[in-house]
Amino acid sequence: MAPQNEITPIRARRVLVPVANPATAIGLIRMAWKLADAEHGRVMALYVTLSGREIDESIFDDLQTVISEATDAEIPVELITRKAPSIARGILDAAREHG
């Protein structure tokens, strides 16, 4: 039995992490994975584009490379994209949709 003052961390099954900059994405994905349940958890890397704009293909390709790198490091991660009128709305909508 754990002592009363010891805190047992709760591990999430799904961790949504917004990513926009490929240079910082792998660090964010690794941090998100630390919050996830090691057996049943997964990370969803979210790339939001503003409505009316096209996805920046070069950034998207670089993020795909980061996702491959994370997968090679045995982090179960999926890249999802969302179009929204604002970045905040895209994050909130994706969080609501994916629970």
Coordinates of all heavy atoms in Angstrom, one line a residue:
M1 N 0.8 -1.2 0.0 CA 0.0 0.0 0.0 C 0.9 1.2 0.0 O 1.9 1.3 0.7 CB -0.9 0.0 1.2 CG -1.8 1.2 1.3 SD -2.8 1.3 2.8 CE -4.3 0.5 2.2
A2 N 0.6 2.2 -0.8 CA 1.3 3.4 -1.0 C 1.1 4.3 0.2 O 0.0 4.4 0.8 CB 0.9 4.2 -2.2
P3 N 2.1 5.0 0.7 CA 1.9 6.0 1.8 C 0.9 7.0 1.4 O 0.8 7.4 0.2 CB 3.3 6.6 2.0 CG 4.3 5.7 1.3 CD 3.5 5.0 0.2
Q4 N 0.2 7.6 2.4 CA -0.8 8.6 2.1 C -0.4 9.8 1.4 O -1.1 10.4 0.6 CB -1.6 8.9 3.4 CG -2.4 7.8 3.9 CD -3.2 8.3 5.1 OE1 -2.9 9.2 5.8 NE2 -4.3 7.5 5.4
N5 N 0.9 10.2 1.6 CA 1.3 11.5 1.0 C 1.9 11.2 -0.4 O 2.4 12.2 -1.1 CB 2.4 12.2 1.9 CG 3.6 11.3 2.1 OD1 3.6 10.1 1.8 ND2 4.6 11.9 2.7
E6 N 1.9 10.0 -0.9 CA 2.5 9.7 -2.2 C 1.4 9.9 -3.2 O 0.3 9.4 -3.1 CB 3.0 8.3 -2.3 CG 3.7 8.0 -3.6 CD 4.3 6.6 -3.6 OE1 4.9 6.2 -2.5 OE2 4.2 5.9 -4.6
I7 N 1.7 10.6 -4.3 CA 0.7 10.8 -5.4 C 1.0 9.8 -6.5 O 2.1 9.7 -7.0 CB 0.8 12.3 -5.9 CG1 0.5 13.2 -4.8 CG2 -0.1 12.5 -7.1 CD1 0.8 14.7 -5.1
T8 N -0.1 9.1 -6.9 CA 0.0 8.2 -8.0 C -0.4 8.9 -9.3 O -1.6 9.4 -9.3 CB -0.9 7.0 -7.8 OG1 -0.5 6.3 -6.6 CG2 -0.7 6.0 -8.9
P9 N 0.4 9.1 -10.3 CA 0.0 9.8 -11.5 C -1.0 9.0 -12.2 O -1.0 7.8 -12.3 CB 1.3 9.9 -12.3 CG 2.2 8.8 -11.8 CD 1.8 8.6 -10.4
I10 N -2.0 9.8 -12.8 CA -3.0 9.2 -13.7 C -2.4 9.3 -15.1 O -2.0 10.4 -15.6 CB -4.3 10.0 -13.6 CG1 -4.8 9.9 -12.1 CG2 -5.3 9.5 -14.6 CD1 -6.0 10.7 -11.9
R11 N -2.5 8.2 -15.8 CA -2.0 8.2 -17.2 C -3.2 8.2 -18.1 O -4.1 7.4 -18.0 CB -1.1 6.9 -17.4 CG 0.1 6.8 -16.5 CD 1.1 7.9 -16.8 NE 2.2 7.8 -16.0 CZ 3.2 8.6 -16.0 NH1 3.1 9.7 -16.7 NH2 4.2 8.5 -15.2
A12 N -3.1 9.0 -19.2 CA -4.2 9.1 -20.1 C -4.1 8.1 -21.2 O -3.0 7.7 -21.6 CB -4.1 10.6 -20.7
R13 N -5.2 7.8 -21.8 CA -5.2 6.9 -23.0 C -5.0 7.7 -24.2 O -4.4 7.1 -25.2 CB -6.5 6.1 -23.0 CG -6.7 5.1 -22.0 CD -7.7 4.1 -22.3 NE -7.6 3.0 -21.3 CZ -7.7 1.8 -21.6 NH1 -7.9 1.4 -22.8 NH2 -7.7 0.9 -20.7
R14 N -5.4 8.9 -24.3 CA -5.2 9.8 -25.4 C -4.7 11.1 -25.0 O -5.2 11.7 -24.1 CB -6.5 10.0 -26.2 CG -7.0 8.7 -26.9 CD -8.3 9.0 -27.6 NE -9.3 9.5 -26.7 CZ -10.3 8.8 -26.1 NH1 -10.3 7.5 -26.3 NH2 -11.2 9.3 -25.4
V15 N -3.6 11.5 -25.6 CA -3.0 12.9 -25.3 C -2.9 13.6 -26.6 O -2.3 13.2 -27.5 CB -1.6 12.7 -24.6 CG1 -1.0 14.1 -24.4 CG2 -1.6 11.9 -23.4
L16 N -3.6 14.7 -26.6 CA -3.6 15.6 -27.8 C -2.6 16.7 -27.6 O -2.6 17.4 -26.6 CB -5.0 16.2 -28.0 CG -5.2 17.1 -29.2 CD1 -5.2 16.3 -30.5 CD2 -6.5 17.9 -29.1
V17 N -1.7 16.8 -28.6 CA -0.7 17.8 -28.5 C -0.6 18.6 -29.8 O -0.4 18.1 -30.9 CB 0.7 17.2 -28.2 CG1 1.2 16.2 -29.2 CG2 1.8 18.3 -28.0
P18 N -0.9 19.9 -29.7 CA -0.8 20.8 -30.9 C 0.6 21.0 -31.4 O 1.5 21.2 -30.5 CB -1.4 22.1 -30.5 CG -2.2 21.8 -29.2 CD -1.5 20.7 -28.6
V19 N 0.9 20.8 -32.7 CA 2.2 21.0 -33.2 C 2.1 21.9 -34.4 O 1.1 21.8 -35.2 CB 2.9 19.7 -33.6 CG1 3.2 18.8 -32.4 CG2 2.1 18.9 -34.6
A20 N 3.0 22.8 -34.6 CA 3.1 23.7 -35.7 C 4.5 23.8 -36.3 O 4.7 24.0 -37.5 CB 2.5 25.1 -35.4
N21 N 5.5 23.7 -35.4 CA 6.8 23.9 -35.8 C 7.5 22.5 -35.7 O 7.7 22.0 -34.6 CB 7.5 24.9 -34.8 CG 8.9 25.1 -35.1 OD1 9.6 24.5 -35.9 ND2 9.5 26.2 -34.4
P22 N 8.0 22.0 -36.9 CA 8.6 20.7 -36.9 C 9.9 20.7 -35.9 O 10.2 19.6 -35.4 CB 9.0 20.5 -38.3 CG 8.1 21.4 -39.1 CD 7.8 22.6 -38.2
A23 N 10.5 21.8 -35.7 CA 11.7 21.8 -34.9 C 11.4 21.5 -33.4 O 12.3 21.0 -32.7 CB 12.5 23.2 -35.0
T24 N 10.2 21.8 -33.0 CA 9.9 21.6 -31.6 C 8.9 20.4 -31.4 O 8.6 20.0 -30.3 CB 9.2 22.9 -30.9 OG1 8.1 23.2 -31.7 CG2 10.2 24.0 -30.9
A25 N 8.4 19.9 -32.5 CA 7.3 18.9 -32.4 C 7.8 17.6 -31.7 O 7.0 17.1 -30.9 CB 6.8 18.6 -33.8
I26 N 9.0 17.2 -32.0 CA 9.4 15.9 -31.3 C 9.5 16.0 -29.8 O 9.1 15.1 -29.1 CB 10.8 15.4 -31.9 CG1 11.0 13.9 -31.5 CG2 11.9 16.2 -31.6 CD1 10.0 12.9 -32.0
G27 N 9.9 17.2 -29.3 CA 10.0 17.4 -27.9 C 8.6 17.4 -27.3 O 8.3 16.8 -26.2
L28 N 7.6 18.0 -28.0 CA 6.2 18.1 -27.5 C 5.6 16.7 -27.5 O 4.9 16.3 -26.6 CB 5.4 19.0 -28.3 CG 5.8 20.5 -28.2 CD1 5.1 21.3 -29.3 CD2 5.4 21.0 -26.8
I29 N 5.9 15.9 -28.6 CA 5.4 14.5 -28.7 C 6.0 13.7 -27.5 O 5.2 12.9 -26.9 CB 5.7 13.9 -30.1 CG1 4.8 14.7 -31.1 CG2 5.5 12.4 -30.1 CD1 5.2 14.4 -32.5
R30 N 7.2 13.8 -27.3 CA 7.8 13.0 -26.2 C 7.3 13.4 -24.8 O 7.0 12.5 -24.0 CB 9.4 13.2 -26.2 CG 10.0 12.4 -27.3 CD 11.5 12.5 -27.4 NE 11.9 11.7 -28.5 CZ 13.2 11.6 -28.9 NH1 14.1 12.3 -28.2 NH2 13.5 10.9 -29.9
M31 N 7.0 14.7 -24.6 CA 6.4 15.1 -23.4 C 5.0 14.5 -23.3 O 4.6 14.1 -22.2 CB 6.4 16.6 -23.3 CG 5.8 17.1 -22.0 SD 5.9 18.9 -21.8 CE 4.7 19.4 -23.1
A32 N 4.2 14.6 -24.3 CA 2.9 14.1 -24.3 C 2.9 12.6 -24.0 O 2.0 12.1 -23.3 CB 2.2 14.3 -25.7
W33 N 3.9 11.8 -24.6 CA 4.0 10.4 -24.3 C 4.2 10.1 -22.9 O 3.7 9.1 -22.3 CB 5.0 9.8 -25.2 CG 5.2 8.3 -25.0 CD1 6.4 7.7 -24.7 CD2 4.2 7.3 -25.1 NE1 6.2 6.3 -24.5 CE2 4.9 6.1 -24.8 CE3 2.9 7.3 -25.4 CZ2 4.2 4.8 -24.8 CZ3 2.2 6.1 -25.4 CH2 2.8 4.9 -25.1
K34 N 4.9 11.0 -22.2 CA 5.2 10.8 -20.7 C 3.9 10.9 -19.9 O 3.8 10.3 -18.8 CB 6.2 11.8 -20.2 CG 7.6 11.4 -20.7 CD 8.6 12.4 -20.2 CE 9.9 12.0 -20.8 NZ 11.1 12.2 -20.0
L35 N 2.9 11.5 -20.5 CA 1.6 11.7 -19.8 C 0.6 10.5 -20.1 O -0.4 10.3 -19.5 CB 0.9 13.0 -20.2 CG 1.6 14.3 -19.9 CD1 0.9 15.5 -20.5 CD2 1.7 14.4 -18.4
A36 N 1.0 9.7 -21.2 CA 0.1 8.7 -21.6 C 0.4 7.4 -20.9 O 1.5 7.1 -20.4 CB 0.3 8.5 -23.1
D37 N -0.6 6.5 -20.9 CA -0.5 5.2 -20.3 C 0.4 4.4 -21.2 O 0.2 4.3 -22.4 CB -1.9 4.5 -20.3 CG -1.9 3.2 -19.7 OD1 -2.0 3.0 -18.5 OD2 -1.8 2.2 -20.5
A38 N 1.4 3.8 -20.6 CA 2.4 3.1 -21.4 C 1.9 1.9 -22.2 O 2.4 1.6 -23.2 CB 3.5 2.6 -20.4
E39 N 0.8 1.2 -21.7 CA 0.3 0.1 -22.4 C -0.8 0.4 -23.4 O -0.9 -0.2 -24.4 CB -0.3 -0.9 -21.3 CG 0.8 -1.6 -20.5 CD 0.2 -2.6 -19.6 OE1 -0.8 -3.3 -20.0 OE2 0.7 -2.8 -18.5
H40 N -1.7 1.3 -23.0 CA -2.9 1.6 -23.8 C -2.9 3.0 -24.4 O -3.9 3.4 -25.1 CB -4.1 1.3 -23.0 CG -4.2 0.0 -22.4 ND1 -4.3 -1.2 -23.2 CD2 -4.0 -0.5 -21.1 CE1 -4.3 -2.2 -22.4 NE2 -4.1 -1.8 -21.1
G41 N -1.9 3.8 -24.1 CA -2.0 5.2 -24.5 C -1.5 5.5 -25.9 O -0.9 4.6 -26.5
R42 N -1.9 6.6 -26.4 CA -1.4 7.1 -27.7 C -1.4 8.6 -27.7 O -2.1 9.2 -27.0 CB -2.2 6.5 -28.8 CG -3.6 7.0 -28.9 CD -4.4 6.3 -30.0 NE -5.8 6.8 -30.0 CZ -6.4 7.3 -31.1 NH1 -5.8 7.4 -32.2 NH2 -7.6 7.7 -31.0
V43 N -0.6 9.1 -28.6 CA -0.4 10.5 -28.7 C -1.0 10.9 -30.1 O -0.8 10.3 -31.1 CB 1.0 11.0 -28.7 CG1 1.2 12.4 -29.0 CG2 1.6 10.6 -27.3
M44 N -1.8 12.0 -30.1 CA -2.3 12.6 -31.3 C -1.7 13.9 -31.5 O -1.9 14.9 -30.7 CB -3.9 12.7 -31.2 CG -4.5 11.3 -31.2 SD -6.3 11.4 -30.9 CE -6.4 12.0 -29.3
A45 N -0.9 14.1 -32.5 CA -0.2 15.3 -32.8 C -1.2 16.1 -33.8 O -1.5 15.6 -34.8 CB 1.1 15.1 -33.5
L46 N -1.6 17.3 -33.4 CA -2.6 18.0 -34.1 C -1.9 19.2 -34.8 O -1.3 20.0 -34.2 CB -3.6 18.5 -33.1 CG -4.7 19.5 -33.7 CD1 -5.6 18.8 -34.7 CD2 -5.5 20.1 -32.5
Y47 N -2.2 19.3 -36.1 CA -1.7 20.4 -36.9 C -3.0 21.2 -37.4 O -3.8 20.6 -38.1 CB -0.9 19.9 -38.1 CG -0.4 21.0 -39.0 CD1 0.5 22.0 -38.6 CD2 -0.9 21.1 -40.3 CE1 0.9 23.0 -39.4 CE2 -0.4 22.1 -41.2 CZ 0.5 23.0 -40.7 OH 0.9 24.0 -41.5
V48 N -3.1 22.4 -37.0 CA -4.3 23.2 -37.3 C -4.0 24.2 -38.4 O -3.0 24.9 -38.2 CB -4.9 23.9 -36.0 CG1 -6.1 24.8 -36.4 CG2 -5.3 22.9 -34.9
T49 N -4.8 24.3 -39.4 CA -4.7 25.4 -40.4 C -5.9 26.2 -40.3 O -7.0 25.7 -40.0 CB -4.5 24.8 -41.8 OG1 -5.6 24.0 -42.1 CG2 -3.2 24.0 -41.9
L50 N -5.7 27.5 -40.7 CA -6.9 28.4 -40.7 C -7.8 28.1 -41.9 O -7.3 27.9 -43.0 CB -6.4 29.8 -40.6 CG -5.6 30.2 -39.4 CD1 -5.1 31.6 -39.5 CD2 -6.4 30.0 -38.1
S51 N -9.1 28.3 -41.7 CA -10.0 28.1 -42.7 C -9.7 29.0 -43.9 O -9.3 30.2 -43.7 CB -11.4 28.4 -42.2 OG -11.8 27.5 -41.2
G52 N -9.8 28.5 -45.1 CA -9.5 29.4 -46.3 C -8.1 29.3 -46.7 O -7.7 29.9 -47.7
R53 N -7.2 28.7 -45.9 CA -5.8 28.6 -46.2 C -5.5 27.2 -46.6 O -6.1 26.2 -46.0 CB -4.9 29.1 -45.1 CG -5.0 30.5 -44.8 CD -3.9 30.9 -43.9 NE -4.0 32.4 -43.6 CZ -3.3 32.9 -42.7 NH1 -2.3 32.3 -42.0 NH2 -3.4 34.2 -42.4
E54 N -4.6 27.0 -47.4 CA -4.1 25.6 -47.8 C -3.1 25.2 -46.7 O -2.4 26.0 -46.1 CB -3.4 25.6 -49.1 CG -4.4 25.9 -50.3 CD -5.5 24.9 -50.4 OE1 -5.2 23.7 -50.3 OE2 -6.6 25.3 -50.6
I55 N -3.0 23.9 -46.5 CA -2.0 23.3 -45.6 C -0.6 23.6 -46.2 O -0.4 23.4 -47.4 CB -2.2 21.8 -45.5 CG1 -3.5 21.5 -44.7 CG2 -1.0 21.1 -44.8 CD1 -3.8 20.0 -44.6
D56 N 0.3 24.1 -45.4 CA 1.7 24.3 -45.8 C 2.3 23.0 -46.0 O 2.7 22.3 -45.0 CB 2.4 25.2 -44.8 CG 3.8 25.5 -45.2 OD1 4.4 24.8 -46.0 OD2 4.3 26.6 -44.8
E57 N 2.5 22.5 -47.3 CA 2.9 21.2 -47.6 C 4.4 20.9 -47.0 O 4.6 19.8 -46.6 CB 2.9 20.9 -49.1 CG 1.5 20.8 -49.7 CD 0.7 19.7 -49.1 OE1 1.3 18.6 -48.8 OE2 -0.5 19.8 -49.0
S58 N 5.2 22.0 -47.0 CA 6.6 21.7 -46.5 C 6.6 21.5 -45.0 O 7.3 20.6 -44.6 CB 7.5 22.9 -46.9 OG 7.1 24.1 -46.2
I59 N 5.8 22.2 -44.3 CA 5.7 22.0 -42.8 C 5.0 20.6 -42.6 O 5.5 19.8 -41.8 CB 4.9 23.1 -42.1 CG1 5.7 24.4 -42.1 CG2 4.5 22.7 -40.7 CD1 5.0 25.6 -41.5
F60 N 3.9 20.3 -43.4 CA 3.3 19.0 -43.2 C 4.2 17.9 -43.5 O 4.2 16.9 -42.7 CB 2.0 19.0 -44.1 CG 1.2 17.8 -43.9 CD1 0.3 17.7 -42.8 CD2 1.2 16.7 -44.7 CE1 -0.4 16.6 -42.5 CE2 0.4 15.6 -44.5 CZ -0.4 15.5 -43.4
D61 N 5.0 18.0 -44.5 CA 6.0 16.9 -44.8 C 7.0 16.8 -43.7 O 7.4 15.6 -43.3 CB 6.7 17.2 -46.2 CG 5.8 17.1 -47.4 OD1 4.7 16.4 -47.2 OD2 6.2 17.6 -48.4
D62 N 7.5 17.9 -43.2 CA 8.4 17.9 -42.1 C 7.8 17.2 -40.8 O 8.5 16.5 -40.1 CB 9.0 19.3 -41.7 CG 9.9 19.8 -42.8 OD1 10.3 19.0 -43.7 OD2 10.1 21.0 -42.8
L63 N 6.5 17.5 -40.6 CA 5.8 16.9 -39.4 C 5.7 15.4 -39.7 O 5.8 14.6 -38.7 CB 4.5 17.6 -39.2 CG 4.5 19.0 -38.6 CD1 3.1 19.6 -38.6 CD2 5.1 19.0 -37.2
Q64 N 5.4 15.0 -40.9 CA 5.4 13.5 -41.2 C 6.7 12.9 -40.8 O 6.7 11.8 -40.3 CB 5.0 13.3 -42.7 CG 3.6 13.6 -43.0 CD 2.6 12.6 -42.5 OE1 2.8 11.9 -41.5 NE2 1.5 12.5 -43.2
T65 N 7.8 13.5 -41.1 CA 9.1 13.0 -40.8 C 9.3 12.9 -39.3 O 9.8 11.9 -38.8 CB 10.2 13.9 -41.4 OG1 10.0 13.9 -42.8 CG2 11.6 13.4 -41.1
V66 N 8.8 13.9 -38.6 CA 8.9 13.8 -37.1 C 8.0 12.7 -36.6 O 8.4 12.0 -35.6 CB 8.4 15.2 -36.5 CG1 8.2 15.1 -35.0 CG2 9.4 16.3 -36.8
I67 N 6.8 12.5 -37.1 CA 6.0 11.4 -36.7 C 6.7 10.1 -36.9 O 6.6 9.2 -36.1 CB 4.6 11.4 -37.5 CG1 3.9 12.7 -37.1 CG2 3.8 10.2 -37.2 CD1 3.5 12.9 -35.7
S68 N 7.3 9.9 -38.1 CA 8.1 8.7 -38.3 C 9.2 8.5 -37.3 O 9.4 7.4 -36.8 CB 8.7 8.7 -39.7 OG 7.7 8.7 -40.7
E69 N 9.9 9.6 -37.0 CA 10.9 9.5 -35.9 C 10.4 9.1 -34.6 O 11.0 8.2 -33.9 CB 11.6 10.9 -35.8 CG 12.7 10.9 -34.9 CD 13.3 12.4 -34.8 OE1 13.3 13.1 -35.8 OE2 13.7 12.7 -33.7
A70 N 9.2 9.6 -34.2 CA 8.6 9.2 -33.0 C 8.1 7.8 -33.0 O 8.3 7.0 -32.0 CB 7.4 10.1 -32.7
T71 N 7.6 7.3 -34.1 CA 7.2 5.9 -34.2 C 8.4 5.0 -34.1 O 8.3 4.0 -33.5 CB 6.5 5.7 -35.6 OG1 5.3 6.6 -35.6 CG2 6.0 4.3 -35.8
D72 N 9.5 5.4 -34.7 CA 10.7 4.6 -34.6 C 11.2 4.5 -33.2 O 11.8 3.6 -32.8 CB 11.9 5.2 -35.5 CG 11.6 5.0 -37.0 OD1 10.7 4.2 -37.3 OD2 12.2 5.7 -37.8
A73 N 10.9 5.6 -32.4 CA 11.2 5.6 -30.9 C 10.2 4.9 -30.1 O 10.2 5.0 -28.9 CB 11.4 7.0 -30.5
E74 N 9.3 4.2 -30.8 CA 8.2 3.4 -30.1 C 7.2 4.2 -29.4 O 6.7 3.8 -28.3 CB 8.8 2.3 -29.3 CG 9.6 1.3 -30.1 CD 10.2 0.1 -29.2 OE1 9.8 0.0 -28.1 OE2 10.9 -0.7 -29.8
I75 N 6.9 5.4 -29.9 CA 5.9 6.2 -29.4 C 4.7 6.1 -30.3 O 4.8 6.5 -31.5 CB 6.3 7.7 -29.3 CG1 7.5 7.9 -28.4 CG2 5.1 8.6 -28.9 CD1 8.1 9.3 -28.4
P76 N 3.6 5.6 -29.9 CA 2.4 5.5 -30.7 C 1.8 6.8 -31.0 O 1.1 7.4 -30.1 CB 1.5 4.5 -30.0 CG 1.9 4.6 -28.5 CD 3.3 5.0 -28.5
V77 N 2.0 7.4 -32.1 CA 1.6 8.7 -32.4 C 0.9 8.8 -33.8 O 1.3 8.0 -34.7 CB 2.8 9.7 -32.4 CG1 3.8 9.4 -33.4 CG2 2.3 11.2 -32.5
E78 N -0.1 9.6 -33.9 CA -0.8 9.8 -35.1 C -0.9 11.3 -35.4 O -1.1 12.1 -34.5 CB -2.2 9.2 -34.9 CG -3.3 9.6 -35.9 CD -4.6 9.1 -35.5 OE1 -4.8 8.6 -34.4 OE2 -5.5 9.3 -36.3
L79 N -0.7 11.7 -36.6 CA -0.8 13.1 -37.0 C -2.2 13.3 -37.6 O -2.6 12.7 -38.5 CB 0.3 13.5 -38.1 CG 0.3 14.9 -38.6 CD1 0.5 15.9 -37.5 CD2 1.3 15.1 -39.7
I80 N -2.9 14.3 -37.0 CA -4.2 14.7 -37.4 C -4.2 16.1 -37.8 O -3.4 16.9 -37.3 CB -5.3 14.3 -36.4 CG1 -5.1 15.0 -35.1 CG2 -5.5 12.9 -36.2 CD1 -6.2 14.8 -34.1
T81 N -5.0 16.5 -38.8 CA -5.1 17.9 -39.2 C -6.5 18.4 -39.0 O -7.5 17.6 -39.1 CB -4.7 18.1 -40.7 OG1 -5.5 17.3 -41.5 CG2 -3.2 17.6 -40.9
R82 N -6.6 19.7 -38.9 CA -7.9 20.3 -38.7 C -7.9 21.7 -39.3 O -6.9 22.4 -39.1 CB -8.2 20.3 -37.2 CG -9.3 21.3 -36.7 CD -10.6 20.7 -36.5 NE -10.5 19.4 -35.7 CZ -11.4 18.5 -35.9 NH1 -12.4 18.6 -36.7 NH2 -11.3 17.4 -35.2
K83 N -9.0 22.0 -40.0 CA -9.2 23.4 -40.5 C -10.2 24.1 -39.5 O -11.2 23.5 -39.2 CB -9.7 23.4 -41.9 CG -8.6 23.1 -42.9 CD -9.1 23.5 -44.3 CE -7.9 23.2 -45.2 NZ -7.9 24.1 -46.4
A84 N -9.9 25.3 -39.2 CA -10.7 26.0 -38.2 C -10.6 27.5 -38.4 O -9.6 28.0 -39.0 CB -10.4 25.6 -36.8
P85 N -11.5 28.3 -38.0 CA -11.4 29.8 -38.1 C -10.3 30.4 -37.2 O -9.8 31.4 -37.5 CB -12.8 30.3 -37.7 CG -13.4 29.2 -36.9 CD -12.8 27.9 -37.4
S86 N -9.9 29.6 -36.2 CA -8.8 30.1 -35.4 C -8.0 28.8 -34.9 O -8.6 27.7 -34.8 CB -9.2 30.9 -34.2 OG -9.9 30.1 -33.2
I87 N -6.8 29.0 -34.5 CA -6.0 27.9 -34.0 C -6.7 27.3 -32.7 O -6.8 26.1 -32.5 CB -4.5 28.3 -33.7 CG1 -3.9 28.8 -34.9 CG2 -3.8 27.2 -33.0 CD1 -3.7 27.8 -36.1
A88 N -7.1 28.2 -31.8 CA -7.7 27.8 -30.6 C -9.0 27.0 -30.8 O -9.2 26.0 -30.2 CB -8.1 29.0 -29.7
R89 N -9.8 27.4 -31.8 CA -11.0 26.7 -32.1 C -10.7 25.3 -32.7 O -11.4 24.3 -32.3 CB -11.9 27.5 -33.1 CG -13.1 26.8 -33.7 CD -14.1 26.3 -32.7 NE -14.4 27.1 -31.6 CZ -14.9 26.7 -30.4 NH1 -15.3 25.4 -30.3 NH2 -15.1 27.5 -29.4
G90 N -9.7 25.2 -33.5 CA -9.3 23.9 -34.0 C -8.8 23.0 -32.9 O -9.1 21.8 -32.9
I91 N -8.1 23.5 -31.9 CA -7.6 22.6 -30.8 C -8.8 22.2 -30.0 O -8.9 21.0 -29.7 CB -6.6 23.4 -29.9 CG1 -5.3 23.7 -30.7 CG2 -6.3 22.6 -28.7 CD1 -4.4 24.7 -30.1
L92 N -9.7 23.1 -29.7 CA -10.9 22.8 -28.9 C -11.8 21.8 -29.6 O -12.3 20.8 -29.0 CB -11.7 24.0 -28.5 CG -11.0 24.9 -27.5 CD1 -11.8 26.2 -27.4 CD2 -10.8 24.3 -26.2
D93 N -12.0 22.0 -30.9 CA -12.8 21.0 -31.7 C -12.2 19.6 -31.7 O -12.9 18.6 -31.6 CB -13.1 21.6 -33.1 CG -14.0 22.7 -33.1 OD1 -14.7 23.0 -32.1 OD2 -14.1 23.4 -34.2
A94 N -10.9 19.6 -31.9 CA -10.2 18.3 -32.0 C -10.3 17.6 -30.6 O -10.5 16.4 -30.5 CB -8.8 18.5 -32.4
A95 N -10.1 18.4 -29.6 CA -10.1 17.8 -28.2 C -11.5 17.2 -27.9 O -11.7 16.1 -27.4 CB -9.8 18.8 -27.2
R96 N -12.5 17.9 -28.3 CA -13.9 17.5 -28.1 C -14.2 16.2 -29.0 O -14.7 15.2 -28.5 CB -14.9 18.6 -28.5 CG -16.3 18.3 -28.1 CD -17.2 19.5 -28.3 NE -16.8 20.7 -27.6 CZ -16.3 21.8 -28.1 NH1 -16.2 22.0 -29.4 NH2 -15.9 22.8 -27.3
E97 N -13.7 16.2 -30.2 CA -14.0 15.1 -31.1 C -13.3 13.8 -30.6 O -13.8 12.7 -30.7 CB -13.5 15.4 -32.5 CG -13.7 14.3 -33.5 CD -13.2 14.7 -34.9 OE1 -13.3 15.9 -35.3 OE2 -12.8 13.7 -35.6
H98 N -12.0 14.0 -30.1 CA -11.2 12.8 -29.8 C -11.3 12.5 -28.3 O -10.6 11.5 -27.8 CB -9.8 13.0 -30.2 CG -9.7 13.1 -31.7 ND1 -9.7 11.9 -32.5 CD2 -9.5 14.1 -32.6 CE1 -9.6 12.3 -33.8 NE2 -9.5 13.6 -33.8
G99 N -12.0 13.2 -27.5 CA -12.2 12.9 -26.1 C -11.0 13.1 -25.3 O -10.6 12.4 -24.5

